[in-house]
Amino acid sequence: MFPLMHHYIGKNLAASNSSVIALAAVLPDLCVNMGLERAFGHTQGEAFYRWAQANCPAAKEVAFLFATHGVSPQGLDYYSDEYWPGEERGFCFQYANQYLPQVIKACAIPEKWAQWKGHNLVEMAFEADIVEKAPELCQEMMAAAEDTAAVNFVAEAFAAFAGIPPAKAAASLEKIPVIFGIDKGTPQELAEKYEIQLRIRHQITTASIPQIAALIQQIREEQQTAMADFTQKVFPLIAANLKALTEKYNPLSS
């Protein structure tokens, strides 16, 4: 539920902007749609970069952006989900804790799912916030999903690495606007997409879109300072991790 933040982080770390960059930064979250395990998308960043270096140098940019996303190497999801300095868990899990009763009520979920789903709502608060600051992100992501040449390039490179049909990867990339709330990135749109996910994945039919949207906005307003601090501090952390990766297999610019 973090595609626009992944794109924002990715294009800034790459110091450039293109449909390929936008697609590659979100690619790990689409692995499940391609028949792969979620863990594959979030732990294979180094393996993908090493493969591209040896087998398809033209795809090194795709692999680099892929690696900014997950937990190994340590990308945005590592710091949002797994570990944030000074906290027990990643930022989004940690800051979800104070909203758990509201998450349970709004999403109509069992208590055991509260932190998991709550961290998604913190992620969506980031999405709504970054869109207001950089509205072009929505346009860029929507355009990337419709860029046939970019979709095919990313799909073919990743499919060759992952051992899946390129058409399956391409179909998942094209569905980005269907899966994620990236058209406007508002709390309302994000809540509507999340309600669909709850209904389809978990057969939850009583989640409240208005309550989810209101909670996303509440988190955004109440955690504004903490979210800005996270965004500022996470850049150099990810950049250092990716610098170590690329230097290990020769710099990306080589």
Side-chain angles (χ1 to χ4, degrees):
M1 308 309 297
F2 227 9
L4 297 171
M5 276 296 292
H6 281 296
H7 174 37
Y8 177 74
I9 295 285
K11 78 173 191 175
N12 279 280
L13 288 174
S16 61
N17 187 27
S18 71
S19 292
V20 168
I21 284 173
L23 295 171
V26 180
L27 184 56
D29 278 340
L30 302 172
C31 284
V32 172
N33 299 70
M34 300 177 193
L36 299 167
E37 295 291 332
R38 179 190 179 278
F40 186 92
H42 290 73
T43 62
Q44 295 298 304
E46 180 171 350
F48 188 15
Y49 191 84
R50 182 174 64 244
W51 175 89
Q53 176 75 23
N55 299 284
C56 186
K60 283 199 296 181
E61 185 176 57
V62 175
F64 176 85
L65 271 299
F66 183 91
T68 68
H69 185 118
V71 300
S72 179
Q74 294 169 357
L76 180 59
D77 278 7
Y78 175 77
Y79 295 107
S80 65
D81 293 3
E82 304 295 330
Y83 172 75
W84 186 239
E87 306 289 355
E88 294 181 2
R89 291 282 313 261
F91 181 96
C92 292
F93 271 89
Q94 196 67 32
Y95 277 79
N97 286 337
Q98 60 197 280
Y99 301 101
L100 298 188
Q102 291 164 271
V103 172
I104 293 168
K105 182 178 178 182
C107 297
I109 55 171
E111 183 177 354
K112 64 182 180 181
W113 291 1
Q115 193 179 50
W116 169 33
K117 296 304 184 183
H119 106 277
N120 286 154
L121 269 64
V122 177
E123 289 177 340
M124 287 184 275
F126 269 101
E127 295 282 277
D129 195 63
I130 199 66
V131 164
E132 187 165 294
K133 295 178 173 67
E136 70 276 6
L137 294 171
C138 288
Q139 300 162 7
E140 290 166 1
M141 282 300 306
M142 294 292 288
E146 296 171 358
D147 186 336
T148 302
V151 165
N152 288 339
F153 177 74
V154 173
E156 288 169 10
F158 182 67
F161 163 70
I164 61 174
K168 199 167 192 176
S172 295
L173 290 165
E174 290 170 344
K175 288 179 181 175
I176 286 173
V178 177
I179 298 169
F180 302 111
I182 61 167
D183 186 14
K184 299 180 180 66
T186 61
Q188 178 68 24
E189 182 186 31
L190 292 162
E192 289 170 357
K193 294 289 186 180
Y194 201 59
E195 188 276 335
I196 292 170
Q197 184 184 116
L198 289 169
R199 187 158 26 92
I200 292 176
R201 291 189 180 180
H202 305 299
Q203 293 75 55
I204 292 172
T205 59
T206 54
S208 169
I209 291 173
Q211 288 181 33
I212 294 171
L215 185 50
I216 291 169
Q217 182 62 20
Q218 179 185 346
I219 295 169
R220 180 191 169 200
E221 292 173 356
E222 293 179 353
Q223 304 304 332
Q224 190 71 209
T225 300
M227 288 164 58
D229 182 67
F230 173 85
T231 302
Q232 181 180 31
K233 290 180 177 177
V234 81
F235 267 104
L237 293 171
I238 300 173
N241 297 336
L242 270 291
K243 184 174 184 287
L245 171 67
T246 55
E247 288 183 347
K248 183 175 180 180
Y249 298 103
N250 294 325
L252 186 64
S253 58
S254 65

